[in-house]
Amino acid sequence: MSKPRSLSLAAYRALSWGVPKPPGHNTPPRPAGELLWIHVANVQRLRAVNDFCKRLQQSRPGLSILLTVPPDADLTRWAGCDMELVPLPDEKTGAARGFLEHWQPDMGLWVGGGLMPNVITRAAERGIPMVLLEGENDVRVAFVGKWLPDINRYTFDCFRAIHVTSEDAARQIRRLGVPASKVALFPPLSISPTLRPWPEDELIETNHALAGRPVWLAAWVDAKEFISVLSAHRQAMRMLPRLALILHVADMSEAAPLRKRLETMDLRCANWEDGDMIEDMTQVILASDPEALGLWYRVSPVTFMGSTLESGIGGHDPIAAAALGSALIHGPDVSGHKSLYDALDGVGAAREIRTATELGDTVVELLAPDLAANMALAGWQLVTESAPQVDTLIDMVQEHLDQHGAEHEGA
């Protein structure tokens, strides 16, 4: 659906003109067939978008997806994605045109703010259906166009639908003059965990070996956190003498030297990977296989997510732990998955601690059955409640793609 140009847009394009660069040697070729273009404005949203892409491609085999990031994005910080990331060109008229001529997407999804008028308006003029997700009143206008009226309104109006996560964001966008019928409240994309089933007989056997003892798990523990975790365990054992710690190390090579350290600390240890039996007097169960966390999250009602107590690592993904029914504890450095931890903290599914003493106290507190169960339920609800909304979004994308394909066949 071509849109008439405004005088402001014509002036903006003239002032922000740039000679388009031909695709370089590192630019991937356009894949054959149907192509969905998704732009991710914020690195914190990449994991959820990546999860959405996998689910969408399962529903629509043969669909290719182009993931773009802001022009100035440092790709070394955009880790954890299954697809190649392509930076958008700078906010220049010629560059936007060259981008669209090379990729020729069948549809576009823009996730977040940082809207770039040149590429968005040109996509709309080409009849590419565009949908804005998690919309914000945030348009990245080139400096030369900041004095031109209507650029923000015209950019938003290029989207066929605008999804926002708050009424305040909806109000700001409507005030620009965007039709209210385009703007709707919609929850943000979230991760739907894919959980590998665990053999029931092994789960029963492990629970039987623990014989109803209180248990907590410390997962992905970095070497710098060993002393803090073990000190917290000693402290908690003063209140819960039969308490067992499942200590999962982030670096598998640390398991053997850690066992020697445990022996010098007079902590009775069983190394799971070596086939040691869990006995009634075992105080620490040492583990290092990441795959085995599927068992330990199921066994333990409380999990400390390691690599968060000391700065510099940024933590690990907490979704599987929450989905498998563990109440969560974490340290202050969750920069690698901040939005997930913030959401879990917000619904009461996780607690932040800053010291070994706080960790020990919190473990004892959360091992009260009702409290751990309530936190686990809150976490499970958070990671599963968005599934119907994601299905709705997948249906909407498929409808737009079908309609776009039919229009091109009839042209």
Side-chain angles (χ1 to χ4, degrees):
M1 181 175 63
S2 180
K3 303 179 75 65
R5 286 193 196 176
S6 71
L7 292 176
S8 292
L9 178 61
Y12 178 73
R13 286 182 175 173
L15 290 168
S16 61
W17 181 260
V19 178
K21 296 179 181 178
H25 296 297
N26 295 327
T27 301
R30 187 203 188 280
E34 214 169 35
L35 177 67
L36 173 67
W37 162 38
I38 303 180
H39 180 74
V40 189
N42 189 310
V43 66
Q44 296 292 343
R45 308 305 300 132
L46 181 61
R47 173 70 195 281
V49 171
N50 185 64
D51 184 73
F52 170 76
C53 291
K54 289 190 289 187
R55 293 188 59 183
L56 177 59
Q57 288 180 312
Q58 289 172 355
S59 300
R60 198 175 184 92
L63 175 67
S64 297
I65 296 178
L66 165 67
L67 277 187
T68 63
V69 298
D72 55 358
D74 178 1
L75 293 183
T76 62
R77 297 181 57 238
W78 291 67
C81 183
D82 297 326
M83 286 170 276
E84 185 173 0
L85 301 177
V86 176
L88 276 183
D90 291 334
E91 176 57 4
K92 295 180 180 178
T93 306
R97 188 177 67 183
F99 170 83
L100 293 169
E101 286 177 351
H102 175 73
W103 290 106
Q104 300 179 35
D106 296 284
M107 181 183 177
L109 294 179
W110 194 286
V111 184
L115 305 184
M116 297 174 64
N118 273 318
V119 71
I120 292 170
T121 58
R122 283 200 174 274
E125 288 174 1
R126 285 171 172 260
I128 300 169
M130 297 285 292
V131 174
L132 176 60
L133 306 179
E134 304 176 23
E136 304 171 16
N137 186 12
D138 176 24
V139 181
R140 185 175 178 161
V141 180
F143 179 78
V144 293
K146 291 185 180 297
W147 58 272
L148 290 169
D150 298 333
I151 294 298
N152 287 17
R153 180 199 62 77
Y154 192 85
T155 302
F156 275 104
D157 204 24
C158 287
F159 293 101
R160 299 192 181 183
I162 298 172
H163 293 173
V164 294
T165 59
S166 70
E167 185 56 49
D168 182 59
R171 192 161 40 247
Q172 290 182 36
I173 293 171
R174 292 189 196 109
R175 283 175 181 166
L176 296 173
V178 178
S181 59
K182 285 191 175 187
V183 186
L185 284 172
F186 201 87
L189 287 174
S190 61
I191 298 166
S192 302
T194 303
L195 304 173
R196 186 169 71 88
W198 200 265
E200 190 68 21
D201 56 346
E202 188 172 352
L203 183 59
I204 292 172
E205 182 181 343
T206 304
N207 279 321
H208 178 73
L210 290 166
R213 296 169 59 189
V215 180
W216 70 293
L217 165 66
W220 299 109
V221 178
D222 183 71
K224 293 183 291 185
E225 300 171 316
F226 289 160
I227 292 299
S228 294
V229 169
L230 294 173
S231 297
H233 185 51
R234 279 191 178 279
Q235 175 186 331
M237 283 195 300
R238 296 190 192 107
M239 298 295 295
L240 301 167
R242 300 186 68 241
L243 180 65
L245 164 64
I246 303 162
L247 178 53
H248 172 268
V249 297
D251 183 349
M252 298 178 75
S253 66
E254 295 283 352
L258 179 58
R259 177 164 191 168
K260 294 179 181 178
R261 184 185 295 187
L262 291 168
E263 291 170 352
T264 63
M265 296 175 67
D266 292 327
L267 286 169
R268 291 179 288 277
C269 173
N271 191 323
W272 180 261
E273 266 73 35
D274 288 348
D276 293 350
M277 298 294 294
I278 301 174
E279 299 177 346
D280 188 57
M281 300 300 289
T282 300
Q283 295 168 312
V284 179
I285 302 157
L286 193 58
S288 57
D289 182 3
E291 292 294 322
L293 283 172
L295 169 66
W296 303 127
Y297 289 144
R298 287 172 167 91
V299 166
S300 176
V302 175
T303 295
F304 166 66
M305 296 299 299
S307 301
T308 62
L309 198 53
E310 301 290 335
S311 61
I313 302 175
H316 287 265
D317 187 345
I319 286 295
L324 290 172
S326 221
L328 302 183
I329 308 171
H330 63 85
D333 184 10
V334 293
S335 54
H337 304 272
K338 187 175 186 306
S339 60
L340 294 176
Y341 281 97
D342 285 349
L344 290 163
D345 289 345
V347 299
R351 292 269 192 93
E352 180 181 330
I353 54 88
R354 293 182 174 272
T355 66
T357 300
E358 281 186 69
L359 177 57
D361 289 341
T362 305
V363 167
V364 172
E365 180 187 358
L366 297 190
L367 281 172
D370 290 346
L371 184 51
N374 289 338
M375 290 181 67
L377 177 60
W380 180 83
Q381 288 175 334
L382 177 70
V383 300
T384 58
E385 67 181 357
S386 66
Q389 287 87 351
V390 172
D391 291 339
T392 299
L393 184 59
I394 288 174
D395 290 342
M396 182 197 70
V397 169
Q398 298 211 70
E399 287 175 12
H400 279 296
L401 287 169
D402 290 342
Q403 182 181 355
H404 184 72
E407 289 172 354
H408 274 245
E409 285 179 9

